[in-house]
């Protein structure tokens, strides 16, 4: 059973400056809560019970957000602000814990995942990249479906979605013989990090959700620097695929790249409209603007 998820949050968020100058990009607000909360909730909805943050010294506010705040709780309780108190104490269900480990140097995504090796131990695990929000309209989210498939097949699961051909050089790209249906997985022939336009094996891009076996940590230890002179998770997955089945899972939901400013604005619109309390008023506001 997959109960652990690694969230690499050590990146400095240069694509999101100036907002990310003195707060972590993961703490930038999408509607009424930080972006990272959506990613953690997605993991929890898929059955994850331990969130492993791979973080940086400048990002303590992420850990603080998922911790209790006694002073704030006491103040809200004394003022009888029960709704707010409930909201801040129920960010995480009681069976979910958050632990953190530092990534001391920015050596790449593969290196970030490797930093969690001791915490992961012999357990298989999920990886969720916090820049990408995945909105799902189903009861079972895409990550839950990937975990279900992993439990049955023991094949690693890499979430993918189609991107325009001229953007393939911004992503990991998978090689598959047939494009799977949405919500389905297919064995992958290969995977390559940020291939130059015109050389990619497909236009199916790695979205930032993975279900991986514990043994990938040994492969990460041997992975040389790759694209961008960084240790790439994609390269370790390519090595794994030489000996083990790795499957591309085609997602059903919608993604928002909150690492980019326009992706972030799209996320605010979509999550704002879907918000249980603010949604209707926000929708009316958008219509009123008639831009
Ligand atoms: C990372 C991964 C890449 C993936 C992307 C998704 O790249 O290395 O394979 O497609 O996330 O957002 P990064 O965006 O960190 O350069």
């Amino acid at each position: 059973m997959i109960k652990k998820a690694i969230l690499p949050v050590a990146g400095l968020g240069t694509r999101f400056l100036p907002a990310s100058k003195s707060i972590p990009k993961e703490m930038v607000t999408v509607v009424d809560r930080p972006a990272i909360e959506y990613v953690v909730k997605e993991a929890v909805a898929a059955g994850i019970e331990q969130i492993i943050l791979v973080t940086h010294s400048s990002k303590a506010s992420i850990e603080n957000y998922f911790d209790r705040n006694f002073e704030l709780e006491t103040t809200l309780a004394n003022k009888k602000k029960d709704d707010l108190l409930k909201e801040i104490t129920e960010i995480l269900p009681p069976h979910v814990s958050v632990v953190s480990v530092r990534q001391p140097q920015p050596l790449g995504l593969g290196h970030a995942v490797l930093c969690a090796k001791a915490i992961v131990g012999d357990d298989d695990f999920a990886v969720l990249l916090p820049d990408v929000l995945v909105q799902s309209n189903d009861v079972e989210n895409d990550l839950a479906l990937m975990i279900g498939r992993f439990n049955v097949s023991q094949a690693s699961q890499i979430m993918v979605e189609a991107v325009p051909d001229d953007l393939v050089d911004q992503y990991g790209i998978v090689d598959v013989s047939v494009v799977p249906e949405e919500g389905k997985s297919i064995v992958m022939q290969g995977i390559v990090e940020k291939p130059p336009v015109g050389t990619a094996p497909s236009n199916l891009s790695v979205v930032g959700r993975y279900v991986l076996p514990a043994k990938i940590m040994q492969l990460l230890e041997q992975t040389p620097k790759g694209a961008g002179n960084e240790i790439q998770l994609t390269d370790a997955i390519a090595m794994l695929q030489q000996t083990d089945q790795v499957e591309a899972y085609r997602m059903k939901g919608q993604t928002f790249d909150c690492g980019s400013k326009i992706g972030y604005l799209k996320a605010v619109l979509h999550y704002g409209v879907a918000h249980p309390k603010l949604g209707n008023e926000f929708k009316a506001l958008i219509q009123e603007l008639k831009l």
Side-chain angles (χ1 to χ4, degrees):
M1 296 304 273
I2 306 285
K3 295 289 169 200
K4 297 182 178 178
I6 299 175
L7 275 62
V9 296
L12 293 180
T14 43
R15 284 194 299 157
F16 216 73
L17 285 168
S20 53
K21 186 180 171 206
S22 59
I23 58 165
K25 64 180 194 289
E26 295 81 5
M27 291 302 291
V28 173
T29 314
V30 175
V31 190
D32 60 351
R33 57 205 63 232
I36 186 86
E37 186 181 324
Y38 296 93
V39 181
V40 167
K41 289 220 161 114
E42 175 195 344
V44 170
I48 296 299
E49 295 182 357
Q50 186 179 45
I51 302 287
I52 304 165
L53 300 171
V54 179
T55 188
H56 179 264
S57 57
S58 65
K59 297 195 155 192
S61 59
I62 302 178
E63 286 142 298
N64 294 345
Y65 187 75
F66 292 107
D67 198 355
R68 301 289 291 261
N69 180 334
F70 181 73
E71 196 180 349
L72 179 59
E73 286 175 29
T74 311
T75 308
L76 292 174
N78 288 343
K79 293 189 169 174
K80 304 263 181 290
K81 300 205 173 206
D82 295 338
D83 287 354
L84 288 176
L85 180 61
K86 190 166 148 46
E87 187 135 20
I88 64 151
T89 50
E90 290 179 3
I91 290 171
L92 284 181
H95 70 280
V96 176
S97 63
V98 176
V99 298
S100 59
V101 61
R102 293 274 177 92
Q103 183 184 19
Q105 285 174 284
L107 298 179
L109 175 59
H111 175 256
V113 171
L114 185 56
C115 289
K117 181 174 185 251
I119 306 177
V120 160
D122 294 331
D123 294 325
D124 304 328
F125 59 92
V127 176
L128 292 89
L129 306 190
D131 277 356
V132 183
L133 301 190
V134 176
Q135 200 181 33
S136 140
N137 302 319
D138 292 335
V139 184
E140 261 195 313
N141 68 27
D142 282 300
L143 184 65
L145 292 169
M146 288 166 75
I147 291 175
R149 173 75 190 160
F150 178 89
N151 289 339
V152 173
S153 66
Q154 292 299 301
S156 302
Q157 302 292 314
I158 316 296
M159 194 192 285
V160 298
E161 72 174 343
V163 288
D165 289 336
D166 59 335
L167 296 183
V168 289
D169 58 351
Q170 297 181 15
Y171 300 94
I173 300 290
V174 300
D175 185 359
V176 286
S177 51
V178 189
V179 176
E181 276 172 48
E182 289 182 6
K184 295 273 185 280
S185 298
I186 191 166
V187 174
M188 206 171 90
Q189 265 77 52
I191 183 168
V192 53
E193 182 68 13
K194 304 193 173 81
V197 172
T199 69
S202 77
N203 70 341
L204 290 179
S205 74
V206 175
V207 170
R209 302 293 183 268
Y210 311 78
V211 180
L212 297 168
K215 73 190 265 194
I216 194 134
M217 293 294 187
Q218 277 86 54
L219 298 175
L220 280 167
E221 282 172 330
Q222 301 160 23
T223 304
K225 286 184 177 171
N229 206 26
E230 294 185 337
I231 298 171
Q232 296 290 350
L233 180 58
T234 297
D235 294 343
I237 295 169
M239 264 196 259
L240 177 70
Q241 190 252 324
Q242 302 299 314
T243 54
D244 293 51
Q245 276 215 343
V246 179
E247 294 183 342
Y249 166 85
R250 183 150 165 237
M251 64 177 307
K252 299 201 282 187
Q254 199 179 355
T255 57
F256 302 98
D257 176 11
C258 278
S260 86
K261 292 176 185 176
I262 200 75
Y264 165 77
L265 288 174
K266 267 192 219 168
V268 171
L269 282 176
H270 281 257
Y271 285 85
V273 164
H275 191 282
K277 288 188 187 144
L278 302 168
N280 287 339
E281 215 176 317
F282 187 54
K283 232 185 268 174
L285 178 66
I286 294 169
Q287 275 153 9
E288 194 185 306
L289 283 173
K290 283 200 197 107
L291 294 175

